[in-house]
Amino acid sequence: MPDEHDVLQRQKGVTYRQADDDYFQQRQLKRVAGVWALWALGVGAVISGDFFGWNFGLAEGGFGGLLVATLVITVMYVGLCYSIAEMAPALPHTGGAYSFGRSAMGPWGGFITGLGENMEYILTPAVIVVGISGYMDAISADLFGFSMPLWGWWLIFYGIFVGLNIMGAEISFKFAITITFVALGILAIFYVAAIPNFSWSNLTNIAPESGGSKWFPFGWAGVFPALPFAIWFYLAIEELPLASEESFDPKRDMPKGILLGMLTLTVTAFLTLFLNTGVAGAEETGNSLEPLFIGFQAIFGGVGASILALIAVAGLVASFHTIIYAYGRNIYSLSRAGYLPHWLSPTHGERKTPTVALLVGAVIGFGAALIIDRVGGNVGAALLNMAVFGAVISYAMQMFAFIRLRQKLPNIARPYLSPLGIGGAAVAAVIAIVSLVSLFFNDDYRPGVVGALVWFALGLLYFAVAGRNRLVLSPEEEFALTRGERGHPELGDFGGTSVTAGVTAPTTTPMATPSGGDGAPPSDANPPAPRG
């Protein structure tokens, strides 16, 4: 553990400290994921958006408003995914978004990017578990006449799936593949069954307000507040880079996993939007905690719908499980580098999973849901807006990082190049900022956004007071300081960089482990020029 007397270098407002010899040995990960595991991680993380969350956009903008919002958000995610598909194999670190921001914009830029993602990934499982509890309570009441407080369901599902993630990355990825295919299968059953029951009139059954129309019952202004809910069709596809140090070949597989995942989710997003609404009705769907369940009820009715909806919980479970994975790696990477307290990042000696990070993230997410529930209001929608708040900040920062990396580090190896380039990243950044602004225009959800602002402010305050003085040279930091010369876990080329009196130079043999998960320390000084 870095100590006060271990200061190596102070520069640009941060301090790097020497880690003990066993610091990174206690923070190892294990490479277990191929391209299909990465695809399942991305699709599984998002697939719950087709089961729950998106539908609140109908109540905000009507079908036409949500449709336009979904088209706009799809453009944003296409730009985002192509940009990330370029950055992830070039900077193959567990830090993901934080790593991109760190190399492009320095420690503060890296932390702001990582903190936005931290908020997104801790709060998104809380949103999803609210959806799971809605489904499970409705199903148990329908089949068995049994009901329980929703927080009881939250506790049960957090316990199960945090435990599963602690058991090991290999088990987690195998489960992710299985449950993702099950969730897609349930959606396929629904789509096929919904087609003969589809009615165009159901899409427009919300009574228009003055100046509105049947397609846009709240006018074109309804598009704006619908944007955060359209994001739910894609939110968390960008988590794949967090698996870089657990991927067998991140340079080859990461772009494939991201882009195949985006294609899959685009198809399911528009099928869900049209068919679920067209079967159950826009007004009914927009106010439901279990939109797919009422869709099944409209088609099958009775016990058949409840059984199918019970199976449909698989979609929510897929995302719940995979985003628990994501917040664990996000907390782990920020802690490993010293941005968050170091005690959050040790991994299990045999399973190589960040146990403490997984448990702490669960406690925070559960606590946030419980507080909002006690205060009153729509827990799911409020948490969703808080998660989106963190996400869109992270998206904008990642797009700024993409543009800056093209300019600042033009000579680093880029196994994949985005065909959309800087223009695609700029468009995605603009849409992300507009989406962020949209969060402040709904009075019902504003308390949740204020809570997100408090979260963000506390994180920045911690880094300003403590975190910035406790940094160590994780692979993300080493890559940034050497401008890509070192800090490559996938090659075993990390560690061995030393900073003495402002001089950066390799001094020891780079640290390589069979599990491929770490790098050794040091500091921010005068980096060598890039090869080239």
Side-chain angles (χ1 to χ4, degrees):
M1 187 71 65
D3 295 316
E4 289 300 319
H5 64 276
D6 292 327
V7 175
L8 290 180
Q9 183 74 8
R10 291 186 176 92
Q11 185 174 343
K12 298 180 181 179
V14 299
T15 302
Y16 285 87
R17 302 179 183 278
Q18 180 69 57
D20 296 337
D21 291 340
D22 62 349
Y23 181 81
F24 290 104
Q25 292 292 343
Q26 296 171 358
R27 290 162 173 80
Q28 296 184 32
L29 299 173
K30 184 178 181 181
R31 295 192 182 275
V32 297
V35 65
W36 284 110
L38 295 174
W39 168 86
L41 183 68
V43 174
V46 184
I47 202 68
S48 67
D50 292 293
F51 290 70
F52 162 81
W54 67 271
N55 56 300
F56 297 128
L58 292 169
E60 298 296 326
F63 182 80
L66 182 56
L67 175 60
V68 173
T70 303
L71 289 168
V72 171
I73 293 302
T74 300
V75 171
M76 180 186 78
Y77 272 95
V78 168
L80 177 72
C81 285
Y82 272 112
S83 299
I84 291 175
E86 176 174 314
M87 292 188 291
L91 292 81
H93 308 120
T94 296
Y98 137 63
S99 178
F100 309 152
R102 172 62 185 91
S103 285
M105 297 175 286
W108 278 97
F111 182 66
I112 291 171
T113 308
L115 182 60
E117 202 169 60
N118 174 264
M119 187 188 307
E120 172 190 359
Y121 294 146
I122 289 178
L123 293 178
T124 298
V127 180
I128 296 168
V129 83
V130 170
I132 291 174
S133 67
Y135 273 100
M136 291 301 298
D137 215 54
I139 292 166
S140 65
D142 190 39
L143 291 179
F144 311 112
F146 167 76
S147 182
M148 66 184 294
L150 295 184
W151 64 263
W153 293 109
W154 305 347
L155 194 61
I156 290 169
F157 278 87
Y158 261 117
I160 292 171
F161 289 99
V162 169
L164 182 59
N165 270 275
I166 289 173
M167 289 176 64
E170 188 170 8
I171 294 173
S172 292
F173 278 111
K174 287 180 178 179
F175 181 81
I177 293 172
T178 301
I179 200 68
T180 298
F181 275 112
V182 169
L184 288 172
I186 294 299
L187 286 176
I189 291 172
F190 177 75
Y191 297 152
V192 171
I195 291 173
N197 294 277
F198 176 84
S199 171
W200 287 100
S201 62
N202 282 338
L203 301 179
T204 58
N205 70 347
I206 296 177
E209 294 182 348
S210 177
S213 66
K214 66 177 184 178
W215 285 95
F216 295 91
F218 312 112
W220 279 92
V223 173
F224 198 54
L227 287 172
F229 303 101
I231 287 174
W232 210 242
F233 282 126
Y234 302 105
L235 186 125
I237 178 63
E238 76 285 351
E239 79 169 51
L240 265 68
L242 294 169
S244 290
E245 291 180 44
E246 291 165 288
S247 167
F248 290 124
D249 190 349
K251 292 185 179 295
R252 180 195 66 188
D253 294 342
M254 198 60 68
K256 293 179 182 178
I258 293 170
L259 298 177
L260 285 173
M262 183 62 196
L263 177 61
T264 304
L265 294 167
T266 301
V267 172
T268 60
F270 285 96
L271 285 175
T272 297
L273 175 59
F274 274 89
L275 293 177
N276 202 156
T277 311
V279 165
E283 184 172 8
E284 296 80 359
T285 305
N287 293 291
S288 175
L289 282 177
E290 50 277 336
L292 194 68
F293 180 58
I294 66 172
F296 274 128
Q297 282 184 320
I299 297 169
F300 297 102
V303 175
S306 294
I307 293 173
L308 283 172
L310 180 61
I311 300 172
V313 171
L316 300 179
V317 163
S319 294
F320 189 61
H321 169 71
T322 50
I323 303 180
I324 286 173
Y325 169 93
Y327 78 61
R329 271 54 180 185
N330 168 271
I331 294 173
Y332 160 84
S333 63
L334 290 171
S335 167
R336 180 176 67 172
Y339 290 84
L340 296 179
H342 296 288
W343 56 266
L344 290 168
S345 53
T347 54
H348 189 276
E350 295 181 5
R351 302 187 183 100
K352 308 301 182 186
T353 51
T355 304
V356 178
L358 289 164
L359 291 171
V360 170
V363 170
I364 296 172
F366 181 89
L370 198 60
I371 289 170
I372 294 175
D373 183 51
R374 292 294 180 264
V375 170
N378 188 326
V379 181
L383 285 169
L384 186 152
N385 275 270
M386 292 176 70
V388 170
F389 182 94
V392 293
I393 289 176
S394 175
Y395 296 168
M397 293 294 289
Q398 287 181 78
M399 295 305 90
F400 296 150
F402 176 88
I403 295 169
R404 182 64 178 138
L405 286 171
R406 282 279 188 101
Q407 299 167 342
K408 181 180 178 182
L409 299 177
N411 296 322
I412 62 172
R414 288 176 167 85
Y416 178 83
L417 288 175
S418 167
L420 303 182
I422 289 177
V427 170
V430 170
I431 296 173
I433 293 170
V434 171
S435 299
L436 177 63
V437 173
S438 73
L439 294 173
F440 293 88
F441 283 81
N442 188 316
D443 293 338
D444 294 336
Y445 306 140
R446 194 168 295 161
V449 176
V450 171
L453 281 171
V454 171
W455 180 312
F456 213 80
L458 290 174
L460 293 176
L461 180 63
Y462 171 81
F463 184 64
V465 172
R468 68 185 180 88
N469 297 313
R470 299 173 181 174
L471 301 186
V472 297
L473 263 176
S474 65
E476 295 90 345
E477 296 297 308
E478 188 174 27
F479 186 99
L481 296 174
T482 63
R483 300 175 67 88
E485 290 283 342
R486 304 295 292 271
H488 293 271
E490 80 287 1
L491 301 176
D493 181 21
F494 57 96
T497 301
S498 177
V499 179
T500 306
V503 178
T504 303
T507 60
T508 62
T509 302
M511 175 182 172
T513 65
S515 61
D518 322 83
S523 159
D524 206 340
N526 303 316
R531 292 188 182 101

